């Protein structure tokens, strides 16, 4: 099924230098300090599927999104899109590759230029990639795109402030689609929206996926949204991928203790009578992460091995899990 | 039946504009009973936070209460002089704001802020106030409270800061806490902890809470009763179980359906067409009628008031015959 593979992330790491200025370091005799935002993460996304990344704030979700669209550069590792890397291609190939990967940001109040008319915002990628010739054709394309996302063609003459949050996110989606991409990185696309508007946007995203055969990388902290949208889910903790499984499998049989903890923490908004378990502790600082498995201080299954050695990734029932307790069958599979 | 602690009657909040007036809250009526947690849900702009601000007397001018009454037990509090209202705030009604980052003073230690609040409202010596402050921090679940009390807000994480804010709100031993989106800025995992603290503390102290949020998860978890707001009006009030499982108002039904389910697999989410009207363009009759799938002639002409039904109270003409 290698032809189905669209995006391949291999051993991706990203460190940020958070040291003091060198003179201070020299005088105070302090070493350089690094923050590990993404730590050796690998995953694959198949064509037409929705891959979701979940985790608490500070787990590295958004950093991975920015790495994939090449807004920041990785410290090591590779991101291959159809076998090509944005960092290694040049000229026409680079430009095509750039066009095929687009991003939708979290906050539609910040991601649209308030001084530009909506039509210009959407037309910019069309012009940049030369996808239409002449004003007339560009304007016609903008109209079709606005129509596709459920706005009217007349809206192209308005400014972003004339729209509500949900409508702005529709504009952001139209802008992303104007480059005719295959792959959309959606960084918390509905977190800033109300539930009823969220439902509209999620439905729209599914319709567009069916129509244009899009592939999504969907980043969210809301597990019920992720369950609704994703085929596969990657769970991040402190920059590393602790579990990567099929959506149904993850919710039915979470293998990593952290995934279980996340699932237990979801509020029971349907009042099905499920007891919500108390989460203990908070995510540690990525500057000075715990030794061994980074989750061990919060894990009820941790033993000495967990505090010393980093767990390797192993496979159970099609899920990729990085946990000693699960590898050594110290925890039962079904919860 | 016990007397309500807070009683809001036909509250109208208006913002004057050059030629017209915007009615942000339109005849809002509800009660909060001692010790209960009342949830306020609705989309942004529905008037949830404004209701809280009106109760505690923190409406931003030019917004003002144009009509209606707010009673805290036997005292009418909507027209109190500034100085009396100031005394009441923090002592009888406290507030928890959304963002724990901005609601604490960054240049004072937690001890300074807690002790100041305690001494403003209660006759305590410095030593007693400090001891009480440590006790409060301990109760809201801050580990090593006696050490952490001298830290500054930036030394705490978001969840810990929100615990401090809860301790601050409880310092004056208020009868009512207005919590305005207390968990929105926090992670889901931390959110559970904060809701738990809030619930436990209110239970221990017998404090009533008005919990303003747009998160149905938080509502289902924490509240006893829920009021659903739409375009500055209350659409439905009822027991939390009824609102979640068996909503009556078509708007509440749509709202509940739009939340992705964890237990069932659905292909498409229910979506309410359109969006909430702007305050200057609220339709005649029922404010929800242009988006409603079950609307009929009367909805366009007459505005429904809250109708008591067997299940709860709902402002919808569909239930007109059922009033009891």
């Amino acid at each position: 099924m290698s032809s189905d593979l669209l995006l391949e992330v291999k051993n991706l790491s990203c460190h940020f230098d958070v040291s003091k200025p060198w003179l201070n370091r020299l005088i105070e005799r302090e070493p350089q300090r690094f923050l590990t935002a993404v730590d050796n993460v690998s995953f694959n996304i198949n064509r037409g599927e929705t891959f979701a990344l979940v985790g608490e704030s500070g787990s590295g979700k958004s950093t991975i999104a920015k790495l994939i669209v090449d807004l920041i550069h990785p410290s090591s590792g590779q991101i291959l899109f159809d076998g090509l890397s944005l960092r290694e291609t040049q000229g026409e190939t680079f430009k095509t590759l750039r066009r095929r990967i687009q991003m939708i940001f979290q906050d539609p109040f910040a991601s649209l230029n308030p001084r530009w008319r909506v039509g210009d915002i959407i037309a910019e990628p069309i012009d940049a990639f030369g996808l239409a010739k002449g004003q007339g054709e560009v304007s016609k394309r903008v109209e079709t795109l606005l129509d596709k996302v459920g706005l009217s063609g007349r809206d192209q003459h308005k400014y972003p402030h004339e729209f509500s949050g949900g409508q702005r996110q529709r504009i952001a989606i139209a802008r992303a689609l104007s480059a005719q991409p295959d792959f959309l990185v959606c960084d918390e696309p509905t977190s800033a929206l109300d539930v009823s508007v969220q439902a509209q946007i999620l439905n729209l995203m599914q319709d567009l996926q069916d129509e244009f055969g899009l592939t999504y990388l969907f980043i969210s902290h809301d597990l019920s949204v992720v369950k609704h949208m994703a085929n596969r889910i990657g769970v991040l903790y402190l920059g590393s991928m602790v579990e990567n499984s099929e959506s149904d499998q993850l919710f039915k049989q979470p293998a990593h203790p952290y995934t279980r903890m996340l699932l237990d923490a979801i509020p029971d908004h349907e009042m099905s009578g499920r007891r919500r378990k108390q989460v203990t502790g908070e995510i540690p600082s990525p500057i000075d992460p715990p030794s061994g498995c980074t989750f061990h201080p919060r894990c009820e299954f941790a033993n000495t091995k967990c505090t010393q050695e980093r767990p390797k990734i192993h496979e159970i029932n099609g899920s990729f899990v990085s946990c000693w307790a699960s590898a050594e069958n110290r925890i039962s599979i079904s919860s | 039946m016990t007397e309500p602690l807070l009683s809001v009657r036909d509250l109208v909040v208006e913002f004057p504009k050059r030629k017209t007036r915007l009615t942000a809250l339109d005849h809002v009526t509800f009660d909060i009973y001692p010790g209960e947690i009342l949830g306020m849900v609705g989309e942004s702009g529905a008037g949830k936070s404004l209701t809280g601000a009106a109760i505690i007397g923190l409406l931003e001018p030019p917004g003002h209460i144009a009509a209606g009454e707010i009673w805290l037990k036997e005292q009418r509090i909507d027209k109190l002089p500034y100085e009396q209202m100031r005394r009441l705030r923090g002592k009888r009604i406290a507030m928890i704001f959304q963002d724990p980052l901005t609601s604490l003073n960054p240049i004072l230690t937690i001890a300074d802020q807690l002790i100041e609040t305690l001494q403003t409202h209660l006759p305590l010596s410095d030593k007693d106030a400090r001891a009480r402050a440590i006790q409060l921090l301990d109760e809201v679940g801050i580990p090593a409270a006696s050490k952490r009390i001298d830290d500054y807000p930036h030394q705490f994480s978001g969840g810990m800061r929100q615990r401090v804010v809860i301790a601050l709100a409880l310092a004056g031993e208020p009868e009512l806490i207005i919590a305005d989106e207390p968990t929105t800025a926090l992670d889901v995992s931390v959110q559970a902890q904060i809701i738990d603290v809030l619930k436990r503390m209110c239970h221990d102290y017998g404090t009533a809470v008005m919990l303003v949020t747009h998160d149905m998860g938080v509502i289902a978890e924490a509240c006893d009763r829920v009021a659903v707001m739409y375009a500055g009006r209350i659409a439905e009030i009822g027991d939390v179980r009824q609102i979640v499982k068996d909503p009556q108002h078509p708007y509440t039904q749509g709202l509940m359906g739009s939340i992705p389910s964890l237990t069932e697999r659905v292909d498409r989410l229910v979506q309410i067409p359109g969006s909430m009207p702007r305050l200057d363009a609220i339709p005649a009759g029922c404010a929800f009628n242009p988006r409603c799938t079950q609307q009929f002639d009367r909805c366009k002409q007459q505005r429904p008031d809250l109708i008591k039904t067997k299940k709860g109270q709902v402002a919808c003409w569909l239930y007109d015959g059922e009033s009891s």
Side-chain angles (χ1 to χ4, degrees):
Chain A
M1 296 236 292
S2 63
S3 63
D4 278 353
L5 192 64
L6 187 67
L7 185 92
E8 209 179 337
V9 173
K10 284 193 218 161
N11 307 330
L12 188 69
S13 291
C14 182
H15 311 291
F16 293 114
D17 190 345
V18 289
S19 328
K20 291 180 180 170
W22 72 269
L23 192 59
N24 291 53
R25 284 207 310 272
L26 198 73
I27 296 168
E28 291 159 25
R29 287 164 200 271
E30 273 185 27
Q32 261 188 302
R33 285 169 17 121
F34 290 97
L35 181 155
T36 311
V38 178
D39 192 5
N40 205 9
V41 167
S42 307
F43 59 90
N44 296 331
I45 304 179
N46 288 338
R47 218 174 289 274
E49 90 175 354
T50 302
F51 185 88
L53 285 176
V54 292
E56 290 170 271
S57 342
S59 58
K61 311 185 291 286
S62 296
T63 310
I64 293 182
K66 287 181 189 154
L67 285 165
I68 288 173
V69 293
D70 205 32
L71 285 175
I72 48 177
H73 304 322
S75 309
S76 65
Q78 257 192 324
I79 299 161
L80 295 178
F81 187 79
D82 252 350
L84 297 167
S85 160
L86 268 177
R87 316 250 337 117
E88 285 152 20
T89 45
Q90 279 163 358
E92 266 322 293
T93 355
F94 175 80
K95 219 172 154 182
T96 321
L97 207 56
R98 250 274 180 269
R99 179 181 66 71
R100 294 175 63 197
I101 308 173
Q102 294 293 321
M103 183 151 176
I104 299 169
F105 295 91
Q106 172 171 4
D107 185 359
F109 289 83
S111 64
L112 301 174
N113 189 335
R115 290 166 193 270
W116 281 31
R117 287 181 197 275
V118 166
D120 298 331
I121 292 172
I122 299 172
E124 195 187 20
I126 302 177
D127 292 334
F129 295 114
L131 295 173
K133 288 191 186 72
Q135 262 311 306
E137 208 181 313
V138 171
S139 155
K140 209 181 275 166
R141 281 198 63 103
V142 170
E143 256 173 58
T144 356
L145 283 163
L146 281 171
D147 197 50
K148 282 266 180 295
V149 297
L151 294 169
S152 109
R154 277 172 295 142
D155 289 333
Q156 60 173 306
H157 305 297
K158 294 184 184 164
Y159 286 97
H161 75 258
E162 295 173 68
F163 295 91
S164 68
Q167 288 172 321
R168 283 185 207 212
Q169 202 59 297
R170 287 172 193 266
I171 297 169
I173 293 173
R175 192 211 58 86
L177 288 177
S178 69
Q180 297 175 329
D182 317 293
F183 183 62
L184 280 183
V185 177
C186 317
D187 188 2
E188 306 252 17
T190 59
S191 311
L193 308 174
D194 279 310
V195 275
S196 60
V197 183
Q198 166 174 291
Q200 295 176 351
I201 297 293
L202 293 180
N203 283 343
L204 173 69
M205 286 179 65
Q206 282 181 328
D207 293 344
L208 294 172
Q209 181 166 40
D210 292 343
E211 190 175 342
F212 297 106
L214 296 167
T215 307
Y216 291 137
L217 172 68
F218 193 92
I219 293 174
S220 180
H221 64 268
D222 187 336
L223 281 157
S224 48
V225 171
V226 163
K227 180 173 176 169
H228 180 72
M229 294 294 285
N231 307 102
R232 258 195 112 74
I233 299 174
V235 182
L236 287 169
Y237 185 74
L238 216 63
S240 22
M241 179 91 73
V242 295
E243 182 165 357
N244 174 353
S245 4
E246 292 283 333
S247 173
D248 292 341
Q249 172 77 11
L250 187 101
F251 281 90
K252 233 182 281 155
Q253 298 185 326
H256 197 281
Y258 179 62
T259 316
R260 291 185 179 196
M261 190 159 131
L262 276 185
L263 291 183
D264 285 339
I266 310 175
D268 180 18
H269 63 71
E270 290 156 296
M271 303 197 80
S272 55
R274 173 171 58 84
R275 272 293 296 155
R276 182 177 182 178
K277 251 194 257 165
Q278 217 23 266
V279 169
T280 46
E282 287 177 24
I283 197 162
S285 159
I287 299 176
D288 192 17
S291 62
C293 168
T294 48
F295 186 63
H296 83 255
R298 294 170 81 180
C299 182
E300 53 179 315
F301 303 100
N303 63 10
T304 21
K305 188 171 184 186
C306 298
T307 64
Q308 286 156 1
E309 276 179 75
R310 289 212 57 159
K312 289 185 193 66
I313 291 170
H314 70 278
E315 196 183 335
I316 1 169
N317 306 336
S319 310
F320 299 94
V321 188
S322 130
C323 172
W324 286 125
S326 144
E328 290 164 2
N329 281 323
R330 277 191 274 125
I331 40 178
S332 52
I333 300 289
S334 56
S335 57
Chain B
M1 192 124 181
T2 47
E3 286 294 298
L5 169 72
L6 182 90
S7 186
V8 176
R9 290 277 159 267
D10 287 314
L11 182 69
V12 178
V13 169
E14 287 182 343
F15 287 80
K17 287 189 74 175
R18 218 172 299 163
K19 283 187 185 138
T20 52
R21 292 191 302 262
L22 291 184
T23 311
L25 289 184
D26 195 352
H27 297 276
V28 168
T29 299
F30 64 94
D31 294 321
I32 300 179
Y33 294 92
E36 88 168 342
I37 301 184
L38 176 80
M40 276 273 174
V41 275
E43 290 168 72
S44 337
K48 318 179 290 282
S49 297
L50 208 63
T51 311
I55 293 168
I56 202 167
L58 288 176
L59 280 176
E60 294 267 347
H64 63 276
I65 297 176
E69 295 170 8
I70 304 171
W71 292 80
L72 185 65
K73 285 195 176 149
E74 285 82 45
Q75 191 182 11
R76 190 169 166 187
I77 59 167
D78 54 309
K79 279 195 181 137
L80 282 184
Y82 181 81
E83 191 53 33
Q84 278 186 43
M85 194 65 208
R86 198 180 68 82
R87 251 174 251 272
L88 191 123
R89 239 179 266 147
K91 176 73 193 116
R92 296 188 64 193
I93 307 180
M95 184 127 185
I96 298 172
F97 294 94
Q98 172 168 357
D99 188 357
L101 254 167
T102 49
S103 48
L104 292 170
N105 189 332
I107 57 165
L108 294 178
T109 62
I110 300 302
D112 292 338
Q113 303 186 43
L114 263 172
I115 291 169
E116 185 194 2
T117 314
L118 281 164
Q119 290 186 327
T120 309
H121 299 299
L122 306 167
L124 289 174
S125 69
D126 288 357
K127 205 177 144 215
D128 290 348
R130 193 181 161 85
R132 175 79 185 117
I134 293 173
Q135 191 196 341
L136 273 170
L137 289 181
D138 198 45
E139 283 174 26
V140 294
I142 290 184
S146 54
K147 285 204 190 91
R148 301 283 332 247
I149 191 167
D150 290 311
D151 284 352
Y152 287 90
H154 75 263
Q155 290 165 295
F156 289 84
S157 66
M160 285 296 160
R161 261 181 235 161
Q162 200 60 301
R163 288 173 196 257
V164 174
V165 174
I166 295 177
L168 269 170
L170 288 164
E173 290 168 20
E175 294 154 67
L176 174 70
I177 293 180
I178 297 170
D180 190 358
E181 307 263 6
T183 57
T184 308
L186 306 172
D187 268 320
V188 199
S189 51
V190 181
Q191 178 188 312
Q193 300 172 354
I194 295 299
I195 289 297
D196 214 55
V197 169
L198 197 64
K199 260 170 85 176
R200 185 164 46 82
M201 297 305 281
C202 293
H203 184 260
D204 292 355
Y205 284 77
T207 314
V209 181
M210 181 174 132
L211 183 62
V212 175
T213 180
H214 64 267
D215 188 335
M216 282 316 293
V218 171
I219 292 284
E221 200 98 309
C223 296
D224 302 308
R225 286 192 311 136
V226 186
V228 182
M229 291 198 76
Y230 183 80
R233 305 167 184 186
I234 289 184
E236 181 168 2
I237 305 183
D239 185 62
V240 62
R241 186 159 278 277
Q242 177 252 311
I243 298 278
V244 172
K245 295 249 183 193
D246 183 20
Q248 300 188 82
H249 198 286
Y251 173 66
T252 321
Q253 290 167 358
L255 198 65
M256 296 313 301
S258 65
I259 307 170
S261 167
L262 278 168
T263 45
E264 292 163 54
R265 185 103 202 159
V266 283
D267 281 339
R268 273 181 86 78
L269 298 168
V270 178
Q271 78 181 51
I272 313 173
S275 52
M276 202 166 67
R278 293 164 60 109
L279 285 180
D280 53 7
I282 293 179
C286 171
F288 188 62
N289 84 66
R291 300 172 75 188
C292 186
T293 48
Q294 302 172 60
Q295 55 114 344
F296 47 100
D297 282 347
R298 195 176 180 187
C299 305
K300 290 183 190 158
Q301 288 146 10
Q302 257 180 303
R303 185 194 151 173
D305 281 321
L306 280 175
I307 298 165
K308 264 211 178 84
T309 65
K310 285 185 199 83
K311 296 169 188 163
Q313 293 179 66
V314 58
C316 178
W317 289 125
L318 287 173
Y319 299 91
D320 192 28
E322 284 183 32
S323 60
S324 52

